[in-house]
Amino acid sequence: MKKYRLFICVLLSFWGSASTTIMAQGGDQILDGIGETGLIARYIFDGNTKDWSRNNLHGKIQESQAKFVNDEQFGKVLSLPADTKAFVTLPGEALIGEESVSISGWIFLRSAQKGQIFFDFGKNTNAHFSAEPIAIEGGFQAEINNGSGAKYKTNSPALETDKWYHIAIVINIPSKSVSTYVNGLRVAE
């Protein structure tokens, strides 16, 4: 009787392991409902500057005046005071080798002061990609300066203060276009 039990247990174990297939990850990985196969980085800024993509390109807050505050709509958010030079740095390798890119995020302006920066990627003022919600030249502006004197800009009406906006800027090199979206609507190209 013990031999039969042992034989049945071995047979069931073999059958169970033979019918189980092991598969590697493939396809689109989903993070909070967002597919991240082509995602370079994702920053939530809900108490830290951690990259939530699988690339671990964590940011770093520059300036001790920056802080995380509670917001009615989004909970904990990053606040960069206007009277400081607070900003977040991201690893340089995040955009290396990318020909087309989209950057999106939520912004809440507490001041109508011109020259505020939503983001600025680049080496210096002659070679960078930036977005200003209320540009010095007026309006919401995204700008690419390629370092050899060529500038590409999109201009749209300035954003109002004390209101959340979802902003997206898309650079599509194959189609030679830069598009700016505010709250899901294209406002400039």
Side-chain angles (χ1 to χ4, degrees), residues 24 32 52 57 60 69 79 81 99 115 123 131 133-134 140 145 148 161 163 188:
D32 294 339
W52 286 85
L57 299 168
K60 184 177 180 185
V69 297
S79 177
E99 70 173 26
K123 298 177 183 177
I134 305 173
F140 174 47
N145 189 335
S148 61
T161 60
K163 193 174 174 184

Side-chain angles (χ1 to χ4, degrees), residues 4-189:
Y4 290 118
R5 263 193 217 162
L6 179 62
F7 176 72
I8 291 173
C9 287
V10 169
L11 184 63
L12 288 175
S13 297
F14 178 72
W15 177 75
S17 65
S19 65
T20 304
T21 57
I22 299 173
M23 297 177 62
Q25 288 183 348
D28 205 14
Q29 303 301 309
I30 303 298
L31 179 68
D32 294 339
I34 298 171
E36 69 161 319
T37 298
L39 186 66
I40 297 170
R42 181 172 184 233
Y43 303 96
I44 299 175
F45 297 124
D46 63 348
N48 60 50
T49 57
K50 180 181 177 182
D51 172 16
W52 286 85
S53 76
R54 63 176 121 186
N55 298 322
N56 294 314
L57 299 168
H58 305 302
K60 184 177 180 185
I61 295 176
Q62 305 295 326
E63 177 70 45
S64 62
Q65 298 293 327
K67 58 188 173 198
F68 292 93
V69 297
N70 287 320
D71 175 73
E72 287 180 20
Q73 185 167 348
F74 291 105
K76 194 175 277 192
V77 297
L78 177 61
S79 177
L80 303 174
D83 57 347
T84 68
K85 296 193 183 259
F87 61 96
V88 176
T89 58
L90 305 176
E93 62 268 17
L95 296 177
I96 291 176
E98 299 298 327
E99 70 173 26
S100 296
V101 66
S102 65
I103 297 170
S104 65
W106 288 93
I107 189 168
F108 185 94
L109 299 173
R110 297 185 190 276
S111 163
Q113 176 183 342
K114 291 184 177 186
Q116 297 180 57
I117 307 290
F118 180 49
F119 66 81
D120 189 347
F121 298 113
K123 298 177 183 177
N124 54 45
T125 56
N126 295 325
H128 69 115
F129 167 39
S130 64
E132 296 180 49
I134 305 173
I136 292 171
E137 300 168 9
F140 174 47
Q141 177 178 303
E143 176 183 285
I144 300 171
N145 189 335
N146 70 2
S148 61
K151 284 187 180 182
Y152 307 92
K153 293 182 182 182
T154 63
N155 289 304
S156 59
L159 303 180
E160 298 174 24
T161 60
D162 300 320
K163 193 174 174 184
W164 278 107
Y165 289 94
H166 184 266
I167 298 173
I169 293 100
V170 179
I171 298 176
N172 189 334
I173 300 298
S175 71
K176 298 179 182 176
S177 67
V178 178
S179 301
T180 304
Y181 297 83
V182 176
N183 294 332
L185 300 173
R186 186 170 59 198
V187 295
E189 182 173 50

